[in-house]
């Protein structure tokens, strides 16, 4: 019971961050599992099984509050699910750590670009992003292989292209439901699912946090959201690079 309560807290905090700024649930939860000694494939499987429920709750909350762009949603969800299935299969056969420093370097640069845009005098907002399908595919692929990364890769890239933060965050959250559902199904077929107390705790905490996080995304000013996204991306990327090379 103590373990379940601990992971309820982890799931709540991770979903509050993810639902409000569109990223970091998988990165946060997976980091905790890896630090507890859980193997990478098992950690990713547990997190994505929990995310199937938390992203469903978060996506529904964003939909209800009008934070979802339907066209953008499906342009992300379909290729993201395909990439996620491939990534889950690859991780079940090979270690996925070799790509981490390259992904982290890309995200670090992208985070700095977002911060620069947020602090700039002129905000380029409301632009329809162009490279959506490839972004969804690689976001799903790397998310499954790394145990997280859909939000940092997809949300930050959309904001970097000038998408409205509210719609980018809401659409990415709802699309993530379809991606995590596909990833979880792939893991279930390949390696199975275990550690159910962890999964249950993450689900409970994430579902509780989902409506509050969506409400925050709707009412927090766009510039503040962009700054928050940029800072989180930079910090997570620097932490990943540090752990790889130090």
């Amino acid at each position: 019971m103590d373990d379940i309560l601990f992971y309820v807290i982890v799931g709540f905090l991770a979903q509050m961050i993810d639902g409000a700024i569109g990223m970091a649930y998988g990165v946060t939860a997976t980091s905790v599992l890896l630090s507890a000694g859980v193997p990478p494939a098992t950690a990713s499987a547990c997190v994505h099984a929990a995310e199937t429920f938390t992203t469903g709750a978060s996506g529904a909350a964003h939909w209800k509050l009008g934070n979802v762009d339907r066209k953008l949603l499906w342009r992300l969800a379909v290729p993201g699910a395909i990439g996620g299935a491939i990534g889950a299969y690859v991780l079940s056969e090979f270690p996925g750590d070799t790509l981490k420093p390259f992904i982290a370097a890309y995200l670090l640069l992208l985070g700095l670009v977002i911060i620069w845009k947020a602090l700039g005098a002129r905000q380029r907002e409301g632009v329809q992003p162009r490279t959506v399908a490839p972004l969804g595919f690689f976001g799903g692929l790397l998310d499954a292989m790394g145990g997280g990364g859909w939000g940092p890769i997809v949300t930050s890239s959309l904001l970097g292209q000038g998408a409205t933060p509210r719609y980018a965050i809401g659409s990415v959250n709802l699309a993530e439901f379809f991606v995590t559902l596909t990833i979880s199904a792939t893991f279930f077929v390949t390696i199975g699912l275990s550690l159910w107390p962890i999964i249950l705790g993450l689900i409970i905490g994430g579902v509780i946090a989902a409506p509050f996080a969506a409400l925050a995304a709707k009412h927090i000013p766009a510039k503040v959201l962009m700054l928050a996204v940029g800072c989180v991306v930079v910090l997570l990327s620097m932490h990943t690079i540090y752990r790889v090379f130090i």
Side-chain angles (χ1 to χ4, degrees):
M1 182 58 68
D2 289 340
D3 288 341
I4 292 177
L5 290 175
F6 172 72
Y7 285 105
V8 167
I9 296 172
V10 172
F12 181 89
L13 295 176
Q15 185 57 45
M16 279 298 297
I17 297 170
D18 186 270
I21 66 173
M23 65 183 66
Y25 182 96
V27 174
T28 303
T30 302
S31 297
V32 174
L33 295 186
L34 292 178
S35 67
V38 179
T42 304
S44 182
C46 287
V47 169
H48 284 97
E51 276 191 299
T52 302
F53 295 88
T54 59
T55 55
S58 179
H62 278 291
W63 181 278
K64 185 175 181 180
L65 291 171
N67 295 343
V68 176
D69 180 330
R70 296 185 185 185
K71 184 178 179 181
L72 179 60
L73 165 66
W74 296 115
R75 291 171 69 194
L76 289 171
V78 175
I82 296 171
I86 295 172
Y89 176 77
V90 170
L91 183 61
S92 68
E93 300 292 331
F94 305 100
D97 292 337
T98 52
L99 291 176
K100 280 186 177 180
F102 301 100
I103 300 168
Y106 163 74
L107 292 175
L108 176 61
L109 178 61
L110 204 53
L112 293 173
V113 170
I114 292 171
I115 292 173
W116 176 75
K117 285 178 174 288
L119 296 175
R122 295 181 180 179
Q123 290 298 308
R124 188 168 171 260
E125 187 182 309
V127 177
Q128 280 293 329
R130 290 171 292 180
T131 54
V132 175
L135 180 62
F137 176 82
F138 284 106
L141 178 74
L142 298 175
D143 183 81
M145 294 179 66
W150 169 262
I153 292 170
V154 179
T155 303
S156 54
S157 296
L158 291 176
L159 293 179
Q161 293 183 50
T164 302
R166 170 186 168 190
Y167 295 121
I169 292 170
S171 302
V172 168
N173 265 261
L174 185 52
E176 190 174 13
F177 165 73
F178 300 98
V179 176
T180 54
L181 180 63
T182 305
I183 292 172
S184 297
T186 306
F187 276 129
F188 181 76
V189 171
T190 54
I191 65 172
L193 294 176
S194 58
L195 302 180
W196 284 101
I198 293 177
I199 296 173
L200 180 62
L202 294 175
I203 290 172
I204 294 172
V207 170
I208 293 172
F212 301 104
L215 199 61
K218 181 175 182 178
H219 293 289
I220 295 175
K223 179 175 284 192
V224 175
L225 283 176
M226 288 188 70
L227 276 173
V229 170
C231 290
V232 169
V233 170
V234 168
L235 291 174
L236 291 175
S237 303
M238 291 179 65
H239 176 68
T240 301
I241 293 172
Y242 174 82
R243 292 192 64 179
V244 169
F245 293 105
I246 302 301

